[in-house]
Amino acid sequence: MNNNHLKQCDKLVPASYIKQAEQSCTSINNLISHLLEHKKIPEDPWRSDIIEALLSSLSQMDSNNFLSSCGAGEREGRIFSELVASRNYRLAHGVGRSGDVTAVQPKAVGSSILNQLCTRIVLDIIRQVGAETATSCIIVPMATGMTLLLCFLTLRTSRPKAKYIIWPRIDQKSCFKSMISAGFEPVVIENKLKGDELRTDLEMIKEKVKHLGSENVLCIHSTTSCFAPRVPDRLEEIAKICKENDIPHIVNNAYGLQSSKCMHLLQQAARLGRVDAFVQSCDKNLLVPVGGAIVASFNKDGFIENVASTYAGRASASPAIDLLITSLQMGLSGLKQLLKQRKENYNYLRDEMCKLAEKHGEQLLATPHNPISMAMSLSTLAGMEKHVTEFGSMLFTRNVSGARVVPLDSKKTIGSYSFTGYGSHCDQYKCPYLTVAAAIGMNKDECQLLIKRIDKTFTEIKFKNNSAKNKIPSTITQSSQLNN
């Protein structure tokens, strides 16, 4: 209700009560005004009912919700199911227009405001977590792999001769498929083993740039967040190579927003060299459903705008709605607490995994440059690949999800490209291993439960293996019985 409505209510209830209610309404309106003015994540979390009131107000600004609506087109925000309408807060038009995913829709003013506001809030979050000089971003209703593909297609118009993408190897299918699906030829740079860590081979990158010719290279496609024992690429050095050779640099920062170390690497790379864009997942970093990604940049060269205009057609507003709700309900204080908790959980999980490894004759691989993922050797199971893969199956039946068991000599073909040792980011790692991650949203109880279930799985599989070794073959048993 606005002030005029409240004044008209003084004939229904005492004026003193109206005054008190008016103060409450003013407080809520001031909260919304502050958000619209500053366009940043609020310091303190919002109540759910206030967020719903904001979304309801925005939806009433879309033409499909006008009292006098008279739609005469094929796309007029018509929704058959009341359940679906409620689920989407009656925001039915999506975002963008046919020529630009960030463009304002004349008949969807509320949805357009929501998308622009959410984009500005997300940019503020990116700056808050470490990329202080980021200048722009867009929210794309696709997951990380397809969003990387969109970035590569955007680069094609400015580099028509280029057909190669230089890519330090990371064994994750979607980032590889993003390159071949865009029509480019990945040039795989194998990682170098240093201690237990797999690190970027900078000399090989330089050699490939020289051999291929910089004008034939679309970009260097580097990675921050990854599964141990691989660690984030040497972003600063790669950024310098890109700057020196005038080659674009696209960074796969899939779940790096939650890591101050990954964000520091990005910030330093942009300061010392060239970073055209970095792409991150919405669900992995900001605890929303799968379906959205964020493309961000440190530059004012229009690359982000070009990515937006490369996207074909309108887009779903669901990722923006989810991000807006979550950022308002989380608040900056809540986000900082989650990031602090993640670091604490990482340290706790690392220490407990180290103790567990020692108990079972294994070791926690030394990967200090990986701030999220850690790996424990499975050397006691080596020699029989089925025991390694069985270990992973046993964890899964105990409802342990997200852990990865990586055997030796695993092979994988993606398109026309074949990989040996797939999953380990190299042709031949020194041992099979198990990886786990301390990601945002995980709590200490989950860490403790994970350790308990890995411990039980180790005990069970060793018991089964020992039983199999000590079992007397049936032919020998029968012969012994006859002799007796």
Side-chain angles (χ1 to χ4, degrees), residues 8 99 133 152 184 187 236 331 376 383 427 429 432 441 460-461 465 477:
Q8 292 170 343
T133 62
F152 300 143
F184 295 100
V187 178
E236 293 179 29
M376 180 175 67
D427 287 345
Y429 195 68
E460 184 178 329
I461 197 167
N465 291 342
T477 303

Side-chain angles (χ1 to χ4, degrees), residues 169-172 191 198 223-233 252-256 262 367 369-374 404 425 435-437:
R169 177 176 169 178
I170 173 171
D171 290 350
Q172 203 274 335
N191 299 300
L198 290 164
T223 303
T224 55
S225 54
C226 54
F227 311 132
R230 196 191 190 281
V231 300
D233 281 320
N252 177 6
N253 189 45
Y255 48 100
C262 288
T367 56
H369 291 94
N370 193 318
I372 301 174
S373 175
M374 61 195 77
R404 290 169 171 81
H425 319 289
T435 70
V436 296

Side-chain angles (χ1 to χ4, degrees), residues 35-46:
L35 177 70
L36 294 173
E37 179 183 355
H38 296 280
K39 304 172 186 67
K40 294 181 178 181
I41 183 172
E43 180 64 32
D44 299 315
W46 282 24

Side-chain angles (χ1 to χ4, degrees), residues 8 15 18 30 36 62 84 87 90 108 126 206 214 223 228 260 308-309 335 364 400 404 454 469 471 478:
Q8 292 170 343
I18 295 296
N30 288 342
L36 294 173
D62 284 2
V84 172
R87 175 181 176 271
R90 304 186 185 279
I126 290 170
K206 292 177 183 177
S214 58
T223 303
S260 57
S309 62
L335 175 61
L364 188 67
V400 176
R404 290 169 171 81
I454 294 175
K469 288 178 184 178
K471 185 177 181 181
Q478 292 170 2

Side-chain angles (χ1 to χ4, degrees), residues 189-206:
I189 305 296
E190 293 292 343
N191 299 300
K192 295 177 72 172
L193 184 64
K194 292 196 173 183
D196 291 337
E197 292 184 326
L198 290 164
R199 307 217 65 186
T200 316
D201 189 340
L202 294 169
E203 293 305 314
M204 184 56 69
I205 291 177
K206 292 177 183 177

Side-chain angles (χ1 to χ4, degrees), residues 118-134:
C118 185
T119 301
R120 295 287 290 275
I121 290 173
V122 168
L123 180 60
D124 180 51
I125 290 173
I126 290 170
R127 290 169 176 167
Q128 293 281 355
V129 298
E132 298 172 358
T133 62

Side-chain angles (χ1 to χ4, degrees), residues 66 72 93 136 142 185 236 281 330 404 432 445 449 452:
F66 290 176
H93 284 284
S136 57
M142 302 186 293
E185 184 177 328
E236 293 179 29
S281 164
M330 186 182 291
R404 290 169 171 81
D445 288 344
L449 184 59
K452 183 179 179 181

